[in-house]
Amino acid sequence: MTKTLPKDFIFGGATAAYQAEGVTKGEGKGPVAWDKYLEDNYWYTAEPASDFYHKYPVDLKLAEEFGVNGIRISIAWSRIFPAGFGDVNPKGVEFYHKLFAECHKRHVEPFVTLHHFDTPAALHANGDFLNRENMDHFVDYAKFCFKEFPEVNYWTTFNEIGPIGDGQYLVGKFPPGIKYDLAKVFQSHHNMMVSHARAVKAFKDGGYSGEIGVVHALPTKYPYDPSNPADVRAAELEDIIHNKFILDATYLGEYSDKTMEGVNHILAVNGGELDLRDDDFAALKAAKDLNDFLGINYYMSDWMQAFDGETEIIHNGRGEKGSSKYQIKGVGRREAPTHIPKTDWDWIIYPQGLYDQIMRVKRDYPNYKKIYITENGLGYKDEFIDHTVYDDARIDYVKKHLEVLTDAIADGANVKGYFIWSLMDVFSWSNGYEKRYGLFYVDFDTQERYPKKSAYWYKKLAQTQEIDE
Ligand code: BGP
């Protein structure tokens, strides 16, 4: 049976400033930690990206033509405040006014994120969000944007607080490249959540119109053998690291006893302490019911097995299937049942995990109000043939995730939109330009755009709301 999405649904496309804009040095922009980190550690840089800084009118025209009625955009903090605070760069401010005007002209609603992985370099160098001074700088930057950009109706404070902590302090694939430091992971999550809460409170106190929320990546965690209590425990602990800790902070304003028991166990095994203050919890509590929406980024699930040994994580950044490894001391190891498909980057494709995650939020955090799926899509080594890409695998991936979304809506979840990652091809933070996700193919040499087969499929979907059989 054909499944149908609601009439008022957002069929969006997602982007992020650093992955799309290019122009990392000009136009008064301040540096970010990624500039040097990519040069030193990877085989690509953020130049030219998709040259969105100049090409946004083309991308928004295409979006309108293909029925895309929402776009996730992020503001590059260091385009506004080159040093993170203090002097404002008027060119950056003007750029975003023009960009938002173009979105409205094209009837593509901008959902604007304040921080998508790109803390200004000076603040990143002195500890990023582990340094409490930077929390104040973020809140000041947020307040500046709320006042300066009244044309924005949907604000997101942070994109993926979870993967930032993991990338920076656990896997070590994001700057500053620290590995296996679980205390830093939790502290970063906590400090960013407190910064989020303070920004949300400032937004509501300021009486601004529009809505505000946060975007969390929520990979669902299953025990490899559900009848084995040790595997169940491994999945529970892994869920605390990636999901439960930040969801508790968002919607409970505190960490439940179960969450803290897991955190304390992980830190007892791996070392380190947390600095959690009364003022932090006051801020979290004050904001827990003020979030207008939750953005869920969902790409994959994981299966966990009990494991007794040392931590070792290997990131598969080149798309060599089977080259990744993930095992954490005192937590568990990732081991998926063999029949479950994976991408070349070892991301496990499991649409049911999206359904389960949405229903978990609905059950455990009933004050969530409204959900947007703010990222979902398939990273693929696209083949450019006949000026297009026949990306049937991507269509199949999106279709299956949208189908379970309709099930979640039928079962009472309030889901109002879906943003495919990504609108046009952009580069991937730790995998480069070869891992493509877009509806529109970008020739990174010429910066020409070409609609993929998925773009035509998405257009029909947006017009009919019907998910093709
Ligand atoms: C999310 C990020 C995006 C994007 C996406 C795909 O974590 O919010 O910015 O990069 O994942 O991930 P990747 O580029 O690693 O394939």
Side-chain angles (χ1 to χ4, degrees):
M1 210 188 81
T2 305
K3 297 192 174 187
T4 309
L5 287 154
K7 280 242 169 302
D8 60 349
F9 206 69
I10 298 274
F11 292 94
T15 71
Y18 195 67
Q19 288 171 282
E21 288 175 0
V23 191
T24 54
K25 292 195 177 72
E27 300 287 288
K29 185 179 193 290
V32 298
W34 281 96
D35 298 341
K36 184 154 178 3
Y37 195 77
L38 288 181
E39 266 172 37
D40 292 350
N41 295 284
Y42 287 97
W43 61 99
Y44 53 90
T45 70
E47 296 290 357
S50 327
D51 196 24
F52 188 65
Y53 194 81
H54 299 110
K55 286 280 180 181
Y56 69 86
V58 175
D59 290 315
L60 286 160
K61 183 164 182 277
L62 278 171
E64 187 179 36
E65 272 171 31
F66 281 80
V68 175
N69 59 357
I71 182 171
R72 281 190 68 212
I73 284 171
S74 76
I75 296 180
W77 181 353
S78 74
R79 252 190 225 297
I80 306 290
F81 291 102
F85 62 97
D87 291 341
V88 172
N89 169 32
K91 282 192 175 166
V93 173
E94 192 195 329
F95 168 69
Y96 289 108
H97 277 303
K98 282 197 196 149
L99 173 55
F100 301 145
E102 192 72 18
C103 291
H104 292 300
K105 180 178 137 195
R106 293 290 178 188
H107 311 103
V108 182
E109 184 67 43
F111 284 66
V112 179
T113 304
L114 290 166
H115 181 281
H116 195 128
F117 296 1
D118 55 351
T119 305
L123 308 188
H124 201 280
N126 70 17
D128 201 7
F129 281 88
L130 297 176
N131 180 342
R132 284 175 177 267
E133 268 178 30
N134 294 337
M135 298 163 69
D136 296 338
H137 294 319
F138 174 78
V139 177
D140 289 344
Y141 155 61
K143 284 183 185 162
F144 175 89
C145 291
F146 298 152
K147 194 154 176 247
E148 178 64 40
F149 301 109
E151 65 270 43
V152 173
N153 299 313
Y154 296 90
W155 288 104
T156 292
T157 52
F158 289 101
N159 177 75
E160 297 194 348
I161 286 169
I164 291 173
D166 308 344
Q168 297 192 168
Y169 308 117
L170 180 61
V171 182
K173 63 181 179 174
F174 289 3
I178 293 170
K179 287 180 136 206
Y180 314 156
D181 192 330
L182 271 305
K184 282 197 172 61
V185 172
F186 285 119
Q187 192 68 54
S188 166
H189 290 180
H190 173 79
N191 290 5
M192 293 185 82
M193 277 311 309
V194 172
S195 310
H196 155 79
R198 288 175 53 197
V200 167
K201 186 75 170 57
F203 182 78
K204 295 294 178 187
D205 287 351
Y208 300 103
S209 65
E211 300 189 356
I212 190 162
V214 63
V215 166
H216 291 321
L218 301 176
T220 309
K221 308 289 178 177
Y222 300 100
Y224 186 83
D225 174 0
S227 67
N228 177 355
D231 287 4
V232 172
R233 174 68 167 162
E236 206 175 84
L237 291 170
E238 169 83 348
D239 180 63
I240 288 172
I241 297 174
H242 298 276
N243 303 322
K244 196 164 157 45
F245 188 77
I246 46 180
L247 282 171
D248 280 6
T250 313
Y251 288 114
L252 307 181
E254 64 187 9
Y255 304 112
S256 70
D257 291 346
K258 207 160 176 209
T259 302
M260 276 323 287
E261 184 277 324
V263 171
N264 289 333
H265 162 79
I266 293 167
L267 295 184
V269 175
N270 291 280
E273 278 179 14
L274 299 184
D275 172 14
L276 310 178
R277 303 183 186 174
D278 289 348
D279 282 357
D280 300 345
F281 290 107
L284 291 175
K285 279 242 148 65
K288 75 182 179 63
D289 297 315
L290 301 179
N291 297 286
D292 297 300
F293 63 87
L294 169 67
I296 298 181
N297 291 356
Y298 178 84
Y299 291 90
M300 68 186 122
S301 291
D302 288 301
W303 273 260
M304 298 300 293
Q305 253 182 356
F307 157 79
D308 187 19
E310 293 304 312
T311 301
E312 189 183 1
I313 301 177
I314 300 173
H315 170 61
N316 167 4
R318 294 272 191 178
E320 286 155 11
K321 208 169 188 168
S323 63
S324 62
K325 189 171 187 179
Y326 182 101
Q327 54 191 41
I328 301 183
K329 192 176 174 178
V331 175
R333 63 191 284 267
R334 290 185 186 164
E335 182 68 50
T338 45
H339 67 276
I340 299 196
K342 287 181 185 167
T343 72
D344 285 344
W345 286 265
D346 296 327
W347 290 22
I348 290 163
I349 303 175
Y350 192 63
Q352 179 65 28
L354 175 60
Y355 175 88
D356 291 344
Q357 193 61 255
I358 293 171
M359 297 315 275
R360 174 260 187 101
V361 168
K362 178 177 179 306
R363 183 192 65 225
D364 294 349
Y365 306 98
N367 55 338
Y368 75 91
K369 291 188 192 155
K370 179 163 73 165
I371 290 172
Y372 293 98
I373 304 308
T374 36
E375 281 182 35
N376 176 249
L378 181 67
Y380 207 69
K381 296 168 188 162
D382 284 350
E383 279 185 71
F384 188 60
I385 302 166
D386 308 334
H387 292 100
T388 189
V389 179
Y390 299 102
D391 52 349
D392 294 283
R394 180 168 295 115
I395 294 171
D396 185 60
Y397 179 100
V398 172
K399 191 178 123 174
K400 289 189 171 131
H401 286 81
L402 286 173
E403 280 172 353
V404 301
L405 204 57
T406 63
D407 297 342
I409 294 171
D411 292 342
N414 188 28
V415 186
K416 296 307 241 181
Y418 173 94
F419 295 75
I420 190 170
W421 181 269
S422 45
L423 179 64
M424 67 290 184
D425 289 335
V426 298
F427 80 89
S428 163
W429 298 97
S430 57
N431 314 279
Y433 289 81
E434 294 80 18
K435 192 183 189 188
R436 293 172 182 264
Y437 284 90
L439 291 176
F440 303 107
Y441 183 89
V442 176
D443 178 330
F444 292 109
D445 294 328
T446 63
Q447 292 297 343
E448 286 300 312
R449 272 70 169 147
Y450 302 89
K452 300 181 192 175
K453 188 175 175 186
S454 57
Y456 293 97
W457 180 84
Y458 205 69
K459 179 176 183 171
K460 188 162 169 239
L461 167 79
Q463 278 167 349
T464 60
Q465 288 95 44
E466 285 177 7
I467 307 166
D468 247 352
E469 283 292 302

